[in-house]
Amino acid sequence: MLNRLLKLSLGLTAYGISMVMMLKSDLGLMPWDVLHQGIALRGDWQMGRVTVAVSVVVLLLWIPIRQKPGFGTVCNAIVVGLVFDYVNGLIGDRLLDATIAMRASLMVGGILLNAAATAAYLGAHLGPGPRDGLMTGLVRRTGHSVRLVRTLIEGSVVVGGFLLGGTLGVGTIAYVVLIGPLIQHVLPWFDGRRVARCDER
């Protein structure tokens, strides 16, 4: 159990850091973060706190689809956003003048770290994240494919976030294309019980 808690803690912490890396790259955010940033900009709120608030709303959407949260689900909803705000606050404006090479490195590093972070918390088997659980719950209840449900959900949040002012760019596209295969590749490192078929955030 201690090993699983360690995986969960490291995974959620790394996930928050990977979000900051994508933000500081200024080359495009992860799909859900486009929405988080858009809401944050409109309300002049901290993006991490918006991430927590959106997680709570998403968890409420689990009720009608009868999806049950785990300990890791609740931790995910709270920890990722808090880590993001803490790390983002530490960095502040230090990377405003970063070169395009530095920004590209942040983007690539953010995607790679996010894949490892996701594999770590999924490998802990303590419950999916709020957004992952919404997707898998809808797949189970509707009978539609993971690909279709994920595309509809993430397409909706990207469009909504972009209209609110969130950053949509090459990093967003790269994330969408690469994250599934990357997680599938690294998940066996964190989960000895299975070789995953992974198609989720």
Side-chain angles (χ1 to χ4, degrees):
M1 185 63 179
L2 182 60
N3 183 49
R4 294 167 65 193
L5 289 173
L6 181 60
K7 287 181 185 178
L8 178 67
S9 300
L10 291 176
L12 297 183
T13 300
Y15 200 106
I17 295 171
S18 72
M19 289 169 57
V20 176
M21 293 172 70
M22 293 287 287
L23 175 68
K24 296 302 182 182
S25 78
D26 198 29
L27 291 172
L29 296 168
M30 304 171 200
W32 277 94
D33 287 342
V34 178
L35 177 63
H36 300 152
Q37 186 189 46
I39 295 172
L41 291 172
R42 288 287 178 167
D44 194 26
W45 297 309
Q46 290 182 296
M47 187 171 149
R49 294 185 183 181
V50 171
T51 301
V52 174
V54 170
S55 295
V56 172
V57 172
V58 171
L59 284 176
L60 292 176
L61 296 177
W62 283 29
I63 297 173
I65 60 175
R66 298 179 183 176
Q67 183 80 344
K68 295 181 179 180
F71 174 74
T73 306
V74 177
C75 290
N76 185 301
I78 298 170
V79 172
V80 170
L82 296 181
V83 170
F84 174 90
D85 277 345
Y86 178 73
V87 175
N88 191 41
L90 284 179
I91 296 175
D93 297 331
R94 291 184 180 88
L95 297 176
L96 282 179
D97 299 324
T99 64
I100 186 63
M102 290 174 62
R103 291 164 56 199
S105 296
L106 283 170
M107 180 194 77
V108 173
I111 294 173
L112 293 174
L113 181 60
N114 186 265
T118 302
Y121 85 70
L122 288 177
H125 294 284
L126 292 170
R131 295 152 188 79
D132 293 332
L134 176 64
M135 178 190 69
T136 55
L138 286 172
V139 168
R140 189 185 70 253
R141 296 290 291 179
T142 65
H144 294 306
S145 68
V146 170
R147 187 184 302 271
L148 174 62
V149 173
R150 175 176 173 165
T151 299
L152 289 175
I153 293 175
E154 295 197 344
S156 298
V157 299
V158 165
V159 171
F162 179 70
L163 293 175
L164 290 171
T167 304
L168 176 62
V170 64
T172 311
I173 298 170
Y175 181 89
V176 169
V177 171
L178 296 174
I179 196 64
L182 284 171
I183 296 173
Q184 183 167 350
H185 179 72
V186 301
L187 188 54
W189 303 353
F190 298 94
D191 184 359
R193 288 189 279 173
R194 64 179 180 177
V195 175
R197 196 180 69 191
C198 190
D199 184 82
E200 53 197 359
R201 179 186 177 203

